[in-house]
Amino acid sequence: MNDKELQQQKDNQIFRLQKEVEKLKKSIKTQKYGIVWADVPEAFEDDVENKLPVLEEVSKLAIKSKDDKPTHILIEGDNYHALTCLNYTHKGKVDVIYIDPPYNTGEDGFRYRDKRFIDKYPDGTEVPKDHPFRHSYWLSFMRKRLELARTLLSEKGVIIVHIDENEILNLGLLMDEVFEEKNSLGVVIWNKMNPKGDALGVSAMHEYVLSYAKNKDEFLLQKNTLLKRKENAEKILQKASTLFSKLGKRTVPESIKEVVRPFNYSKDKIKEFEVEYTLELVNTEFQSWLSKQPFSGGEKAYKYIDEKGEVYRGVSMAWPNKEKAPDEYFIPLVHPRTKKKCPIPKRGWRNPPETMKALLVKGMVLFGEDETKQPERKYLLKENLFENTTSIFNYAGSDDDLLEMLEIDFPYAKPVNVGKYFISAIHPNPKIVLDFFAGSGTTAQAVMELNNEDKKERQFILITNNENKIMTEACNPRLQRVIKGYKTYEPLGGSLKYYKTGFVGKHNILDADDKDKLQLAYHAGEMLSIAENTLELTEKTDHWQIFENKDRYTAVYFKEEYDQLDTFIKKVKKLNKLVSVYIFSWEDDPFLDEFDGNGNITVKTIPQPILEIYKQIYNLI
């Protein structure tokens, strides 16, 4: 190492110390309440923390479908390094982060490599429950990843985290620190309805699901946030349709069939019990059926069928606030049959006169037998298929049979229906869903099943390492099988790109020299294609790569020698879609003059913008 390099190394060390002092000073001034722990530095194998991370495609593991469904992304590698790369490709782009991190039970395989190299502390082995640094390791591990995750979220994005009793209190405080308490959307209790049989204290039968917005105010500006589909609405509508189809026909009521079944009457005898179905009888049978179902109170409230076959309920039209409504909200409604005025709510009607008149014209006001009953608004079930996401979620099922059929050996996998519920019940319309604790790939299957059900185009990005062959024997095979179809499981379709984290150069971001920058440029193509969501490589030479999707291209000139640049520019100008062009440059020179008059071309440079993102991360963590 020459004198210049030695001085640069010293300057970098001083810079790191200055940043640490600044963080401590800021913490002392601003932190009034929160969580404090021994922040233990984390070591990584093969000295990779001293190199620059990149993403490299494993093309033989890709799936290319001819359908118009999304192309999804699967990344194998440590999630810290993968998240670092995504901070360049997806900063501010992710709508939902949905994770099921290690619960730190002492038996769940959570590992932490203590960078201090003290013999009695873990070197990547499982952290036992009685370890004095058990919680510190977990918090140190999680904070780095949550901070990286936060920068990936869009301003209207959310993060959803599963956890159990082992770390719920610590996680809550950590999430408050990273995402700010004001952005909390609440905690859902997932009631599994199956208590642990080996408990030494209170037998837990639930987990916790925490959700935070990147910016709660922005998140809530979207329509239909924090709404869940009424779980049994389709069953109710279907039953009502079946019963309504009997209107005007003669048949034996279901309640009579149940009574006479044990007597084995002849068909002729049973025929004697036939009646003509009236709307009243339709409603009687409907309400009898509803009363026997394990539905929620809100669902059972839709217990009426009208003359058009619509399922409905009545809802109060009273002014909802404690203060009295304006005077015009006290105009009485006249009963349509008795022509007498009906009671007015104590604080007035909920709606202004114009709205009340419109409801009356549409037949959306329910009157009683006479004027003594206060009128209600008519709510149709088909127009109210969603309700507020509540703090309790009851689900006792498992996917053991599904995984057995798919021939995936993965114990305690989170059920697909649980993933579908939380992804859809919190964010109304996510475009990109990220899971960086992918496990067996439940989140991916949940996203694809949701897409097939509501015809939307959510894209998932999954990250997992290959510890205990979790990627090669569980996650990737499962995704391959559910995309293509397997045995009795119908194919979900879509395409898949498989990447691994790799490392280039010999120095970390603060010490990166020209050779490191060249190596980063040479290997940046896949990351740039991910950033632009142009995932199909259509051409590659020793100097450039071209990627595309159905709407646009990404063209990358990655060599420092410009002897092929003219040829590259001519090729780019002939492309018939929008093009994002990246050209290697030692300076911040975007080569704009070379593409004058081409409004469909956007020009950027590499590798310096990537290094700047990495530098921000280096100083953040």
Side-chain angles (χ1 to χ4, degrees):
M1 184 179 293
N2 58 40
D3 291 344
K4 183 178 179 181
E5 291 174 331
L6 186 61
Q7 184 60 46
Q8 182 64 46
Q9 188 178 67
K10 290 180 180 179
D11 290 343
N12 290 336
Q13 290 174 343
I14 293 171
F15 177 77
R16 293 190 194 102
L17 290 172
Q18 288 174 336
K19 295 297 294 185
E20 188 64 29
V21 170
E22 288 174 10
K23 286 171 67 176
L24 290 171
K25 285 181 178 178
K26 184 178 179 181
S27 176
I28 291 171
K29 291 179 179 179
T30 62
Q31 190 166 347
K32 298 178 181 179
Y33 176 81
I35 186 170
V36 178
W37 73 93
D39 193 1
V40 182
E42 180 179 4
F44 296 97
E45 293 183 1
D46 302 325
D47 199 32
V48 294
E49 64 187 308
N50 290 323
K51 299 179 182 179
L52 303 174
V54 294
L55 297 176
E56 301 171 337
E57 184 181 2
V58 184
S59 56
K60 66 180 181 180
L61 296 178
I63 300 174
K64 186 175 182 180
S65 302
K66 294 182 179 180
D67 56 38
D68 291 328
K69 295 180 179 180
T71 298
H72 306 288
I73 295 173
L74 183 58
I75 302 173
E76 177 188 334
D78 188 288
N79 52 20
Y80 174 74
H81 301 120
L83 289 170
T84 299
C85 294
L86 290 181
N87 261 263
Y88 173 72
T89 66
H90 279 77
K91 186 175 183 179
K93 296 180 182 179
V94 176
D95 302 300
V96 170
I97 296 175
Y98 181 53
I99 58 174
D100 193 4
Y103 289 179
N104 201 15
T105 64
E107 300 173 351
D108 64 348
F110 171 57
R111 302 182 178 198
Y112 195 78
R113 185 176 289 271
D114 192 324
K115 190 177 180 180
R116 297 172 300 174
F117 302 113
I118 302 173
D119 290 341
K120 63 181 179 179
Y121 297 132
D123 59 354
T125 56
E126 291 185 16
V127 179
K129 195 166 187 175
D130 60 352
H131 197 284
F133 280 93
R134 171 190 166 210
H135 297 294
S136 290
Y137 284 148
W138 189 86
L139 286 164
S140 299
F141 173 85
M142 288 297 296
R143 183 174 68 175
K144 287 194 290 288
R145 288 153 178 83
L146 289 174
E147 287 179 337
L148 289 174
R150 185 182 181 279
T151 62
L152 295 176
L153 284 176
S154 69
E155 285 301 303
K156 296 182 179 180
V158 296
I159 181 169
I160 306 164
V161 188
H162 284 255
I163 203 66
D164 74 359
E165 67 274 10
N166 285 279
E167 294 290 359
I168 176 60
L169 300 179
N170 288 331
L171 179 62
L173 290 172
L174 180 62
M175 296 289 285
D176 283 349
E177 181 179 297
V178 175
F179 292 90
E180 297 187 47
E181 185 178 1
K182 67 181 181 180
N183 290 315
S184 173
L185 300 175
V187 180
V188 176
I189 305 298
W190 170 18
N191 178 17
K192 297 182 174 183
M193 298 182 283
N194 183 23
K196 295 178 181 178
D198 57 352
L200 298 178
V202 173
S203 184
M205 59 187 288
H206 66 276
E207 290 185 9
Y208 305 87
V209 182
L210 285 66
S211 57
Y212 283 71
K214 172 77 169 288
N215 182 327
K216 189 174 180 178
D217 292 337
E218 289 292 321
F219 170 73
L220 293 177
L221 288 176
Q222 302 173 102
K223 292 183 179 180
N224 301 323
T225 58
L226 298 168
L227 290 179
K228 63 176 180 176
R229 190 174 186 86
K230 289 188 174 76
E231 184 179 359
N232 301 295
E234 295 301 330
K235 293 180 183 177
I236 294 171
L237 291 171
Q238 182 58 49
K239 182 65 176 180
S241 176
T242 300
L243 289 172
F244 189 74
S245 68
K246 297 180 180 181
L247 190 65
K249 299 177 182 177
R250 290 189 63 82
T251 187
V252 180
E254 291 297 324
S255 57
I256 300 299
K257 287 181 181 179
E258 289 180 14
V259 172
V260 302
R261 189 172 290 117
F263 297 98
N264 294 317
Y265 288 145
S266 65
K267 289 183 179 179
D268 289 340
K269 184 66 175 176
I270 292 176
K271 193 174 180 65
E272 296 177 10
F273 296 99
E274 287 184 352
V275 297
E276 182 176 334
Y277 265 72
T278 63
L279 187 58
E280 182 180 3
L281 182 54
V282 167
N283 273 282
T284 298
E285 284 208 0
F286 181 56
Q287 289 158 21
S288 175
W289 173 81
L290 263 182
S291 68
K292 299 171 185 175
Q293 306 306 310
F295 300 163
S296 69
E299 291 169 332
K300 287 186 175 182
Y302 286 90
K303 59 182 180 180
Y304 303 106
I305 302 174
D306 69 13
E307 64 280 355
K308 296 180 181 179
E310 302 287 5
V311 179
Y312 71 94
R313 64 170 293 184
V315 177
S316 170
M317 292 194 291
W319 180 256
N321 303 323
K322 291 183 179 180
E323 299 80 9
K324 182 182 172 183
D327 291 342
E328 65 266 26
Y329 285 65
F330 286 83
I331 300 173
L333 297 180
V334 177
H335 194 279
R337 186 173 58 81
T338 68
K339 307 303 180 184
K340 295 181 180 181
K341 295 178 180 179
C342 298
I344 301 172
K346 185 178 180 180
R347 289 191 291 270
W349 299 110
R350 173 185 289 268
N351 304 114
E354 298 78 16
T355 302
M356 299 295 281
K357 288 178 183 178
L359 292 173
L360 285 167
V361 170
K362 294 177 182 178
M364 300 306 288
V365 176
L366 299 172
F367 291 91
E369 290 295 320
D370 57 32
E371 73 281 355
T372 60
K373 185 179 185 301
Q374 190 178 101
E376 295 180 319
R377 178 165 180 178
K378 184 178 183 180
Y379 268 46
L380 301 181
L381 177 56
K382 71 177 185 181
E383 295 176 355
N384 294 277
L385 295 176
F386 295 87
E387 59 188 354
N388 291 337
T389 298
T390 58
S391 62
I392 303 291
F393 169 62
N394 296 314
Y395 189 85
S398 78
D399 280 350
D400 292 348
D401 292 341
L402 170 65
L403 293 181
E404 183 178 351
M405 183 270 291
L406 293 172
E407 298 186 38
I408 301 297
D409 182 15
F410 191 85
Y412 311 118
K414 183 168 70 264
V416 173
N417 284 340
V418 173
K420 289 166 67 175
Y421 174 82
F422 283 104
I423 292 170
S424 61
I426 294 178
H427 195 291
N429 189 29
K431 300 296 190 299
I432 300 176
V433 179
L434 167 66
D435 181 355
F436 54 89
F437 290 100
S440 68
T442 293
T443 298
Q445 188 169 346
V447 166
M448 290 187 286
E449 286 192 10
L450 284 172
N451 285 349
N452 276 13
E453 290 170 12
D454 60 20
K455 309 307 177 186
K456 293 183 179 179
E457 295 187 346
R458 305 170 187 86
Q459 179 192 43
F460 69 72
I461 303 173
L462 258 60
I463 303 169
T464 186
N465 57 29
N466 198 30
E467 216 168 71
N468 300 320
K469 299 183 179 179
I470 190 175
M471 176 63 95
T472 55
E473 295 186 0
C475 188
N476 185 48
R478 178 179 183 174
L479 268 57
Q480 297 274 339
R481 290 166 192 172
V482 298
I483 288 174
K484 297 176 182 177
Y486 194 74
K487 294 186 177 179
T488 60
Y489 191 88
E490 292 294 322
L492 295 175
S495 300
L496 181 73
K497 286 288 186 176
Y498 190 113
Y499 301 89
K500 282 188 176 182
T501 53
F503 299 89
V504 298
K506 294 183 178 180
H507 307 95
N508 64 39
I509 176 61
L510 293 178
D511 300 319
D513 59 17
D514 288 347
K515 291 182 179 179
D516 298 325
K517 294 177 182 179
L518 287 172
Q519 286 297 308
L520 181 58
Y522 294 164
H523 292 84
E526 279 89 352
M527 286 175 55
L528 299 173
S529 74
I530 292 170
E532 300 288 347
N533 201 31
T534 52
L535 301 175
E536 289 300 321
L537 177 64
T538 58
E539 184 176 341
K540 183 175 182 179
T541 72
D542 291 336
H543 287 72
W544 71 72
Q545 295 165 287
I546 297 178
F547 303 85
E548 71 170 319
N549 64 21
K550 61 183 179 181
D551 301 315
R552 60 186 301 115
Y553 290 97
T554 299
V556 184
Y557 191 94
F558 53 81
K559 275 294 185 75
E560 71 277 21
E561 298 94 356
Y562 295 136
D563 54 301
Q564 296 293 313
L565 184 59
D566 288 341
T567 304
F568 171 77
I569 291 172
K570 289 177 183 178
K571 181 173 286 289
V572 168
K573 287 181 176 180
K574 292 179 181 179
L575 297 177
N576 58 1
K577 293 184 283 193
L578 295 174
V579 190
S580 293
V581 176
Y582 292 83
I583 300 178
F584 180 90
S585 175
W586 291 113
E587 307 295 334
D588 187 18
D589 179 7
F591 299 86
L592 293 176
D593 293 344
E594 307 292 341
F595 297 94
D596 276 348
N598 288 273
N600 66 322
I601 296 175
T602 303
V603 188
K604 307 172 188 178
T605 61
I606 54 170
Q608 195 58 38
I610 305 175
L611 290 170
E612 291 301 320
I613 292 291
Y614 285 1
K615 188 172 182 179
Q616 292 173 24
I617 293 169
Y618 199 101
N619 293 335
L620 175 69
I621 302 303

